[in-house]
Amino acid sequence: MQHGKYRFIAGFLALPLAVYAIFVISPFVQAFQIAMTDWSGLKGAAKYIGFDNYDKLVHSDEFWNALKHNVIMLVLVPIVTLALGLFFAFMLNVGGRSRRGAVVTGVRGSKFYKFVFFFPQVISITIISVIWFNIYNPDPSDGMLNSLLGAVGLDSLQSAWLGEKSIALACIMLVMIWANVGFYVVLFSAAMASIPRDIYEAALLDGAGRAHTFFRITLPLLWDTVQTGWVYMGIIAMDAFALVQIMSVNMGGPDGATDVVPLRLYQTAFRDSQFGYASAMGIAMLIVTLLFAVLTMRFARRERIEF
């Protein structure tokens, strides 16, 4: 009976696993193979060169500049995004004014606010990039941000934004945070809804404030969700291709201030026709992403709290 059950399960899994192996695992394996060649992308033109692409990568200032920007995103974007997601979700679900009888309530209209926060998730990343590109437009008459600053008498704060080397990367990271924070508001709200209200009400009866309740009750009970979200946001931060390609000046400018590894990979492969070198960049990205995921899961691991 058990043997027949396993054969039945294997029969259902065979086709999906085969499709996954062909379209996901196989390209990864081929990337390792291509990274060992000098290949222009033309069939039959690949030349085996061993680890020369990796040696070139290690000595490339452009690659290290792009990787530095990815690491900055990897550190800052997940922290800010998850912190804002937790804060907004907590205030929407536990931040209501009514405390009669130590009853925990959400804010009035919380469902509407969740919809507003989540709305950027249903918009294409391309549309988001175009919208914010126009918001950052340095022309005071066309750029929304500079127009707004001029209208309220803050002309001194007007800037070229994406054309300013010192703040261009920060402007793009701000868009990345704005585009993703709504997802975590909804995710953390769903996780908070599973926490028994009795726990909050008991804490309120003991005189606990909102800050104390958040750090002693909400955050520990949501830690598994936060940990998973951290890895997911790290993967997003290691990408950033679409935002940088569309929003940045001359794709990665000004003067390489917003260059990232995925954009460098794209240009190396499809502009310079160096597919072997680009594959080596892809392998480097894979290693950094896996290292980040492993370290996050290792050092953010806590004892699971049951409730």
Side-chain angles (χ1 to χ4, degrees), residues 83-287:
L84 289 175
L86 281 168
F87 173 76
F88 290 131
F90 182 75
M91 296 307 296
L92 288 176
N93 290 274
V94 190
R97 291 181 176 274
S98 177
R99 289 199 174 192
R100 291 177 297 176
V103 175
V104 175
T105 61
V107 299
R108 184 174 299 176
S110 60
K111 291 183 179 179
F112 172 75
Y113 292 128
K114 290 175 187 176
F115 169 78
V116 172
F117 278 117
F118 191 76
F119 185 72
Q121 288 293 310
V122 303
I123 304 177
S124 166
I125 190 64
T126 303
I127 296 175
I128 289 175
S129 301
V130 172
I131 291 173
W132 278 91
F133 179 80
N134 286 280
I135 290 175
Y136 285 135
N137 190 326
D139 191 334
S141 60
D142 294 330
M144 186 181 299
L145 184 54
N146 279 344
S147 297
L148 178 63
L149 291 174
V152 297
L154 296 176
D155 305 68
S156 60
L157 296 180
Q158 291 178 336
S159 174
W161 304 115
L162 295 173
E164 192 72 37
K165 186 175 179 179
S166 60
I167 61 173
L169 185 64
C171 291
I172 292 177
M173 286 195 293
L174 179 63
V175 177
M176 191 179 299
I177 292 167
W178 177 86
N180 289 282
V181 70
F183 172 79
Y184 291 98
V185 171
V186 175
L187 178 66
F188 293 144
S189 294
M192 289 178 192
S194 66
I195 301 176
R197 293 291 173 178
D198 296 346
I199 298 177
Y200 286 115
E201 291 167 4
L204 293 176
L205 287 172
D206 289 339
R210 288 179 180 173
H212 191 272
T213 302
F214 174 79
F215 287 106
R216 293 302 181 92
I217 297 176
T218 305
L219 187 57
L221 293 178
L222 295 185
W223 190 251
D224 287 346
T225 307
V226 173
Q227 187 181 34
T228 304
W230 198 289
V231 174
Y232 181 65
M233 273 308 303
I235 294 172
I236 292 177
M238 277 301 296
D239 185 3
F241 169 74
L243 284 173
V244 174
Q245 185 193 31
I246 297 172
M247 294 180 62
S248 64
V249 177
N250 296 325
M251 294 182 66
D255 195 23
T258 58
D259 198 10
V260 290
V261 176
L263 181 63
R264 177 62 41 194
L265 187 157
Y266 170 81
Q267 292 177 322
T268 301
F270 298 102
R271 183 192 65 186
D272 304 333
S273 297
Q274 299 179 24
F275 282 83
Y277 186 36
S279 294
M281 290 186 187
I283 300 302
M285 273 190 63
L286 175 64
I287 293 172

Side-chain angles (χ1 to χ4, degrees), residues 5 8 26 30 60 77 82 139-140 148 178 182 204 228 263 290:
K5 183 183 73 173
F8 180 76
S26 175
Q30 292 179 48
S60 172
V77 172
L82 296 179
D139 191 334
L148 178 63
W178 177 86
L204 293 176
T228 304
L263 181 63
L290 289 177

Side-chain angles (χ1 to χ4, degrees), residues 23-68:
F23 293 102
V24 179
I25 303 299
S26 175
F28 275 109
V29 175
Q30 292 179 48
F32 282 94
Q33 178 187 357
I34 295 171
M36 308 289 284
T37 66
D38 180 12
W39 185 41
S40 65
L42 299 176
K43 184 178 180 180
K47 177 184 176 182
Y48 179 79
I49 57 174
F51 292 94
D52 288 359
N53 283 324
Y54 294 103
D55 181 67
K56 182 179 178 181
L57 202 64
V58 170
H59 295 91
S60 172
D61 292 336
E62 292 180 339
F63 170 76
W64 287 110
N65 177 61
L67 183 61
K68 179 186 71 174

